[in-house]
Amino acid sequence: MLYATSQRRQFTREIADRLRRGLGSVALVAAPSAPGVWSLGPLLAAQCSDHVLRPRVVQIDASTTEAAVLAGPDPSGRPSVLETCVVQVFERLRFDAELDGVRDELDRLRQGVRNAAQAESQIVLTSRFASVLARVRPLVIVLSNLGDTSEPVVAQLRRAASYLAGVPCAVIVLLPAGTQVGNSVPPLFTASLSQLDPDDAHNLLSAVTAAHVDPMTASLIAESCGGRIEDVRENGTALSAAALGGRELLPYEPVVSAPTRAMVAEQVGLLEPDEVEALVASQLQLVQDDDVVERVTGARPVRVVGGL
């Protein structure tokens, strides 16, 4: 149940190292998701926890809230995501004996977050709330399923990193694949995991088929699908147990998922008529305009039967 193994391990090691040194960080991770199959957030939290003594891990699913904004007042009067998260964490941990010495301070900060009139103030107070929790033992927070992932929201998350730099608190925010998260500048870490590698594909296929999956078969499927998660899933579920186990040849034509068909259709819809005609001719091995094909695909067709 893995995503982009090497990249993920690298930045989780950096976050865990900062936690061990009493430093905090915010990680913005744009990645594909497979609801009901696995969750990247708990996996990242577990990897950080492997390197840190007794961290407290808190998972928050923003989709369970009615919040429309990340921070600050909402015109509809609903609480923000940050306010909802602070309230949820406080209620979940309020009877924890480890927090006896800081419970009153946490309650005051909770009220401050609730009454904050500006987004920036709410971000600062939420960061202080997390800092107080982290005094007791290192804290790892996983926030997933934000409804709004626009640039202003991502910018607010990036700013939050500076408020947590000096305390052992790591916040991992999961964002949809393709979200522009910018560059890593510690204490801010960013990662865009857009495709599944062979190890990822193997674990996904094993999960969705409940069958033995040969690693070479998983590698071939991942390569033929370009790592696209829906295509990997559909190709795997269309195969027999024998094919998944490497005992039968894979079909010549891979299955193409609906999202991929829609993406290709959208791209083709942007082409000029002569470009579409040239691509169709190329696929049918007819005589095509090589210049047009090269303009669209970036590669010049190879005339394999030119001498016959």
Side-chain angles (χ1 to χ4, degrees), residues 259-271:
T260 297
R261 291 181 183 276
M263 176 187 68
V264 172
E266 181 181 359
Q267 295 298 316
V268 170
L270 300 175
L271 300 178

Side-chain angles (χ1 to χ4, degrees), residues 128-143:
R128 289 178 183 169
F129 181 90
S131 300
V132 172
L133 272 178
R135 283 185 211 158
V136 180
R137 54 186 166 113
L139 179 65
V140 178
I141 299 174
V142 179
L143 177 60

Side-chain angles (χ1 to χ4, degrees), residues 274-285:
D274 64 326
E275 295 173 336
V276 175
E277 182 178 331
L279 288 180
V280 171
S282 179
Q283 288 297 309
L284 296 178
Q285 297 183 6

